[in-house]
Amino acid sequence: MIIVMKGFLYGQTEYNMLNNSIHLSDYINQAKSFSFDFLSITDPNLYGNYKFYTQCQKQNIKPIIGLEYAYRTEDQNISHALLYAKNNNGYRNLLKISTRVKLEQLDDLDEIMQYDDLAIIFVFNNSFLERLLYSKEFKILDEFCQKIKMFKDYYIGVSYTNNLQKINLNKEMDEYAQKHGIRCLPIHQCKYLTNQDVIIYEALTAIAGHPIKISDYEDYSFEINPLEDERINEFVNSINLNLFNDKIELPTYPNTKGVTSKNYLQALCYKGLEKRGCLLANYQNRLKYELEVIDKMGYNDYFLIVWDFVKYAKQHNILVGPGRGSAAGSLVSYCLGITTIDPIKYNLLFERFLNPERISMPDIDIDFEYTKRDEVLKYCINKYGIKKVAPIITFGTLGSKQVIRDVGKCLNMDNKLVDFIAKKIDSKLSLYDNLEKVKQFLNTNELKKLYKISLKLEGLKRHTSIHAAGVVISKYDLDEIIPLSYHDNYYITGYSMEYLETIGLLKMDF
């Protein structure tokens, strides 16, 4: 007997911002409780894939990484395809596709053909299927099916559901596809975790400004039982990802005038030591020691990169701070003019900054004049390449006070009443931690409903923003490694700070 794998191929999460009410961690935990063998993430961006991949592995669930891709049909309507990475090369191609989508350079299905190692599931909404099948407009469907046969690995997705009318519709589509030699796969899109949570999703769409009726989304719960189908096994087994294990090489400084980074850095430091008049033996010995540690840990280029953009700032009348934090303990930084603090004079320890016994990335915080910070960023982008330098993304979330007010608006509640509850909330605590303090005021069913919905929505991703200081500089184009977004003529990382450091990218603080 063949054991059919269980899981979802059209999974989405909070990273589909304001269009999905499932926290990513809850999504994976629910899959574990249902004994899923695999799970997918197919948000219209790839921002959540690192967290998804690593958490699935911890739970012994096979992670399937995909991208929901909206494309324009020949009659200028928008349709959707799910693009899945079959292997590591396919994953890199997904990153590139995602970047092009963010630049609005890609909305044509034909252009996807240039990317290898992808599996594609074409998704039809039910109203489209009804029009094609029930009105017998087979010509349009025939033309579409002929077109998709140009792809190497393609399927038509058939939504499984508890709705009898939709079951019959999908059955007809399945029969049609089989007759024309096209494989179908059962898919299920989740918008909320449990059937009771449909009201949570309804409130979320209202906050987003495009409210839906509950009845339209009655089949979008995680609780629907996956349709058992042997075709799922073949698809899932064809996907083999082994991500985030490769050591990422640090960027190199390009202008060492034909000598090694090690020797170039050494020459700059001894020149700086002489310029500062620090020629005593203790300075010489300390500098020699620091340079040996920096070389051993492979950070020669890091110091050259920082020296270069600090030098640029100072030469262009951009104010630069004197240095702070553990970097002030580095004589190398002092000799290069990165800091202006003599660490030996003030007995500052280099080991607090870099320690060969504790392997960690160096982290020099550089304070630039706020209004001219972008000039330094643009200098680095021009020097290293637009896809090699990127500010770091942050995610705004639905906060405790604001979500109370937003949900109150969705429920058409009295503003004064909602405002009264919001003012009782300590914004430093979660709504869960505030519950004991405020439950005495939740004295009507309406207020209890308000708080219950807000609890579920709190913390969901609401929008993207840019980190106040963090910038990544890479040896390779960043969309070989991570997803990117695009804003105001430069790229932004699709991963937030904690994941960038974990996978080994070099982070600077401007």
Side-chain angles (χ1 to χ4, degrees):
M1 183 181 84
I2 297 174
I3 299 174
V4 179
M5 292 182 175
K6 287 202 306 184
F8 289 148
L9 289 175
Y10 197 177
Q12 297 197 334
T13 72
E14 61 187 303
Y15 284 92
N16 187 0
M17 282 167 268
L18 297 184
N19 197 24
N20 193 291
S21 62
I22 304 176
H23 292 269
L24 191 147
S25 295
D26 293 342
Y27 178 56
I28 295 166
N29 290 336
Q30 190 90 332
K32 181 68 175 176
S33 69
F34 282 18
S35 301
F36 276 15
D37 303 289
F38 69 91
L39 195 60
S40 71
I41 185 168
T42 60
D43 292 324
N45 55 61
L46 298 169
Y47 300 159
N49 57 12
Y50 178 84
K51 183 177 180 181
F52 170 81
Y53 183 88
T54 51
Q55 286 198 10
C56 278
Q57 286 198 314
K58 285 179 185 175
Q59 298 288 5
N60 203 27
I61 297 170
K62 183 171 184 175
I64 310 288
I65 292 180
L67 177 72
E68 184 177 45
Y69 172 66
Y71 63 92
R72 202 170 293 279
T73 60
E74 289 177 6
D75 58 359
Q76 296 304 299
N77 286 318
I78 300 295
S79 195
H80 292 85
L82 305 174
L83 313 179
Y84 298 87
K86 296 183 71 174
N87 51 37
N88 285 18
N89 183 57
Y91 176 71
R92 282 189 292 272
N93 284 333
L94 272 192
L95 293 173
K96 293 179 190 306
I97 290 169
S98 174
T99 302
R100 290 187 64 188
V101 169
K102 293 294 179 188
L103 283 169
E104 298 181 346
Q105 291 180 347
L106 192 63
D107 68 354
D108 186 347
L109 198 55
D110 289 342
E111 293 195 52
I112 297 295
M113 284 189 235
Q114 66 184 279
Y115 296 98
D116 295 328
D117 298 318
L118 299 177
I120 304 175
I121 299 179
F122 294 95
V123 180
F124 297 131
N125 62 43
N126 285 310
S127 61
F128 179 73
L129 278 184
E130 282 186 74
R131 183 164 69 83
L132 294 182
L133 294 171
Y134 288 174
S135 61
K136 306 303 178 187
E137 292 185 32
F138 289 121
K139 185 172 180 242
I140 299 172
L141 194 54
D142 288 344
E143 288 173 354
F144 178 79
C145 288
Q146 285 304 314
K147 182 172 183 176
I148 67 174
K149 285 182 179 180
M150 293 186 288
F151 292 92
K152 291 178 184 175
D153 196 356
Y154 63 91
Y155 305 81
I156 286 180
V158 179
S159 299
Y160 48 90
T161 172
N162 291 326
N163 183 303
L164 186 58
Q165 182 184 358
K166 292 177 183 176
I167 288 172
N168 292 331
L169 183 65
N170 290 329
K171 188 178 178 185
E172 283 197 50
M173 183 67 235
D174 207 347
E175 289 171 356
Y176 175 89
Q178 287 186 41
K179 191 186 297 182
H180 288 75
I182 295 168
R183 294 173 293 180
C184 279
L185 274 177
I187 58 173
H188 177 60
Q189 187 179 20
C190 305
K191 298 283 190 180
Y192 42 88
L193 278 183
T194 70
N195 291 327
Q196 289 73 37
D197 283 347
V198 67
I199 194 170
I200 309 299
Y201 180 64
E202 184 186 41
L204 184 67
T205 60
I207 292 171
H210 48 82
I212 54 93
K213 295 177 183 176
I214 291 178
S215 58
D216 293 339
Y217 283 83
E218 61 189 354
D219 294 325
Y220 285 68
S221 166
F222 200 113
E223 289 185 325
I224 192 168
N225 291 320
L227 182 67
E228 294 193 357
D229 195 308
E230 292 177 15
R231 292 171 290 184
I232 290 176
N233 285 27
E234 181 188 351
F235 182 87
V236 173
N237 286 330
S238 74
I239 291 176
N240 293 291
L241 297 174
N242 183 21
L243 304 177
F244 311 117
N245 292 320
D246 295 335
K247 182 176 171 56
I248 298 174
E249 292 181 47
L250 295 177
T252 53
Y253 178 69
N255 301 332
T256 56
K257 301 177 181 177
V259 301
T260 64
S261 297
K262 173 185 175 180
N263 290 339
Y264 192 67
L265 176 65
Q266 189 177 65
L268 286 174
C269 286
Y270 279 106
K271 185 178 178 182
L273 194 68
E274 185 178 347
K275 182 180 175 182
R276 293 182 182 277
C278 303
L279 298 176
L280 296 174
N282 58 335
Y283 282 89
Q284 300 270 0
N285 293 337
R286 170 73 168 263
L287 183 59
K288 182 173 181 288
Y289 165 70
E290 287 192 18
L291 286 168
E292 285 174 353
V293 170
I294 289 166
D295 180 55
K296 182 180 177 183
M297 297 180 78
Y299 295 141
N300 293 311
D301 286 287
Y302 171 83
F303 278 88
L304 291 173
I305 290 168
V306 177
W307 160 76
D308 180 71
F309 64 67
V310 169
K311 181 180 70 154
Y312 170 85
K314 290 180 176 180
Q315 287 176 345
H316 289 80
N317 298 316
I318 299 169
L319 295 176
V320 182
R324 58 186 167 91
S326 60
S330 167
L331 184 61
V332 166
S333 296
Y334 180 57
C335 292
L336 293 174
I338 295 170
T339 63
T340 59
I341 300 156
D342 181 343
I344 292 181
K345 179 180 178 181
Y346 294 103
N347 198 27
L348 302 177
L349 298 175
F350 175 69
E351 287 76 15
R352 284 192 60 233
F353 173 58
L354 274 186
N355 191 330
E357 304 301 320
R358 187 189 74 247
I359 302 299
S360 62
M361 300 282 270
D363 188 10
I364 301 177
D365 294 334
I366 308 292
D367 291 308
F368 294 110
E369 185 177 354
Y370 178 73
T371 56
K372 295 184 178 180
R373 174 185 177 273
D374 267 9
E375 290 183 36
V376 185
L377 176 61
K378 286 172 185 172
Y379 169 74
C380 290
I381 288 172
N382 291 333
K383 190 177 189 77
Y384 298 100
I386 191 168
K387 281 192 179 180
K388 293 183 170 70
V389 179
I392 295 172
I393 201 169
T394 60
F395 295 96
T397 59
L398 293 167
S400 55
K401 281 179 179 284
Q402 189 58 50
V403 78
I404 289 282
R405 292 191 167 99
D406 285 340
V407 174
K409 232 179 253 183
C410 299
L411 298 176
N412 295 314
M413 291 178 63
D414 179 82
N415 285 339
K416 289 181 181 177
L417 189 58
V418 173
D419 196 50
F420 172 77
I421 296 297
K423 285 179 177 176
K424 297 294 179 187
I425 301 295
D426 181 350
S427 59
K428 294 176 184 174
L429 301 174
S430 69
L431 288 177
Y432 181 82
D433 291 332
N434 270 288
L435 187 55
E436 279 301 314
K437 176 185 173 184
V438 301
K439 69 179 178 182
Q440 59 181 308
F441 305 110
L442 307 177
N443 47 22
T444 67
N445 287 335
E446 189 180 40
L447 285 171
K448 287 174 183 173
K449 182 179 180 181
L450 166 72
Y451 208 86
K452 181 181 178 183
I453 293 173
S454 300
L455 268 170
K456 291 285 186 84
L457 291 176
E458 183 186 18
L460 286 175
K461 306 283 185 289
R462 182 172 199 154
H463 58 79
T464 63
S465 188
I466 300 174
H467 191 276
V471 175
V472 164
I473 300 180
S474 170
K475 183 173 184 176
Y476 307 101
D477 283 356
L478 283 163
D479 63 353
E480 294 272 344
I481 307 165
I482 60 171
L484 294 177
S485 185
Y486 192 76
H487 170 76
D488 197 23
N489 297 320
Y490 49 76
Y491 289 99
I492 303 164
T493 69
Y495 291 162
S496 51
M497 185 86 75
E498 64 271 32
Y499 304 124
L500 293 167
E501 292 178 320
T502 302
I503 64 176
L505 281 168
L506 180 64
K507 177 187 71 72
M508 305 283 190
D509 279 322
F510 283 17

